[in-house]
Amino acid sequence: MKIQSIRGVKDILPGEIEKWQWVEKIARNVFHKYGFKEIRLPIFEKTQLFSRSIGEATDIVEKEMYTFTDRSGEQITLRPEGTASVVRAYIEHKMYNPPSVVKVYYLGPMFRYERPQAGRFRQFYQIGIEAMGTDNPVIDAEVMTLLVEFFRQLGLKDVELQINSLGCVDCRPKYREVLKTAIQGHLDELCENCNQRYERNPLRVLDCKVERDRQIAKDLPKTCDHLCETCKTNFTQVQTLLDSTETPYSLSPLLVRGLDYYSRTTFEVVSTGLGAQNAICGGGRYDSLVEEFEGPSTPCFGFALGMERLISVIPFEGKNYSESRPDIFIVSLGDEAKSRSFKLAHQLRKEGFTVDQDYDGGSMKSQMRKANKSLSRFALIVGENEIAAGIYLMKDMEAGSQEEVPAENFIPTLKDRLTTPKNNT
Ligand SMILES: [Zn+2]
Ligand SMILES: [Zn+2]
């Protein structure tokens, strides 16, 4: 019986995984520079954690969660996102003690039962950041700057940071009423979803994707025109800070977030390549979630981005992202050479080189083909004659040249060849 993978999930094979590792390495690097530390969270949690944080009346909770009862009768859910677990861990481990700003990042798989389609998976991967414990606009600006820097290091050019402010618990309810009144006159023109949103979550009408609704949304009252004085000052500060680092951004008054716990700064990074506007990352401020889970008042700012989409927009051509490329591939001819090369490979690895070798003892030609395929920088040819003469034959796979190297001098020579820039003579 042939067993295949589950619909909507995929393997990431060698050849592709190097791209992921490269992105993850740059992510860690940039995040560490900004003082973020990794938090590694469980892949499953109690179902309640997600239903309460994401909200019962959302697509994720109603239709998309992988929920099951474990052997002790507990309701368990495979995490559909990362923020809820970070908040749970923050409270559980009293990370607010002593009081400070806690800056963490996570990366790993998330699970949602969505209709499989191009680029959308039921096990998908996210990278996310949460900065917890301050409502200082410096953190808003810092996290968005970090993100722009991350994308710059990935070589992404056509991306745009779009920001908006959603107001706070004081000004948003008032705005919500103003918005509802304005929407009321358009209900028969708006799509069915928006008619439902009107009651439950009128802000979502602003980011409806239906073209006709988008035209209507343009003329509806905007959050940023209904901010209280504190929120207005706060939003101006965020912009001044972004300006001071010359971080490019644009104001996007129709940008809202689906969940009630979001407040003030909200943002998206949009890929503008190929004409289409695709959000590759979204995030913002959420100041009430920790309290909702009975933690102390903890304003937070964060984002999450999907790895699949990110990788699909990175220009990998001509980038040296692969780390699995060997320094040297050992080609051995004859039994004595075989056992010699096994020992040699071990020595070389201890010296810090990346080494691969042939295992099947084919002809010189077929072994060299394998060396080629491994993308090794050098090939080392070990034959009976070479052993007798106390030399190895080292071939530069890029230049095509080869040289004889005395066996006892081999390691320093290889070190030298790998570090000296090639000259073209
Ligand atoms: Zn406000
Ligand atoms: Zn609509």
Side-chain angles (χ1 to χ4, degrees), residues 276-292:
Q277 293 233 333
N278 273 314
I280 42 179
C281 177
R285 179 157 284 291
Y286 56 101
D287 291 346
S288 59
L289 190 59
V290 176
E291 268 175 289
E292 271 169 44

Side-chain angles (χ1 to χ4, degrees), residues 63-135:
K63 303 175 199 157
E64 296 170 359
M65 293 206 306
Y66 276 94
T67 298
F68 60 96
T69 309
D70 76 1
R71 287 169 195 276
S72 65
E74 185 111 66
Q75 282 281 298
I76 305 282
T77 294
L78 300 183
R79 61 181 186 190
E81 56 108 58
T83 303
S85 301
V86 174
V87 167
R88 197 250 326 123
Y90 178 81
I91 297 167
E92 187 168 333
H93 303 289
K94 297 191 171 60
M95 290 165 79
Y96 44 81
N97 258 337
S100 62
V101 180
V102 171
K103 302 202 281 188
V104 292
Y105 71 90
Y106 57 84
L107 39 89
M110 309 291 161
F111 306 85
R112 286 183 204 175
Y113 193 83
E114 288 189 279
R115 201 162 55 84
Q117 49 180 296
R120 192 167 281 189
F121 299 94
R122 289 178 174 174
Q123 175 173 333
F124 58 99
Y125 291 78
Q126 283 191 340
I127 296 183
I129 263 190
E130 314 292 351
M132 316 174 81
T134 180
D135 62 359

Side-chain angles (χ1 to χ4, degrees), residues 309-335:
R309 185 175 288 177
L310 179 62
I311 283 179
S312 76
V313 295
I314 295 173
F316 280 104
E317 306 78 43
K319 267 205 188 81
N320 195 11
Y321 56 82
S322 174
E323 285 175 14
S324 53
R325 215 184 143 181
D327 298 319
I328 193 151
F329 187 101
I330 305 176
V331 167
S332 50
L333 299 156
D335 289 342

Side-chain angles (χ1 to χ4, degrees), residues 165-172 226-232 264:
S165 175
L166 298 178
C168 65
V169 285
D170 291 331
C171 54
R172 197 161 47 184
H226 292 80
L227 300 175
C228 65
E229 282 311 310
T230 319
C231 287
K232 212 181 279 176
R264 292 195 177 153

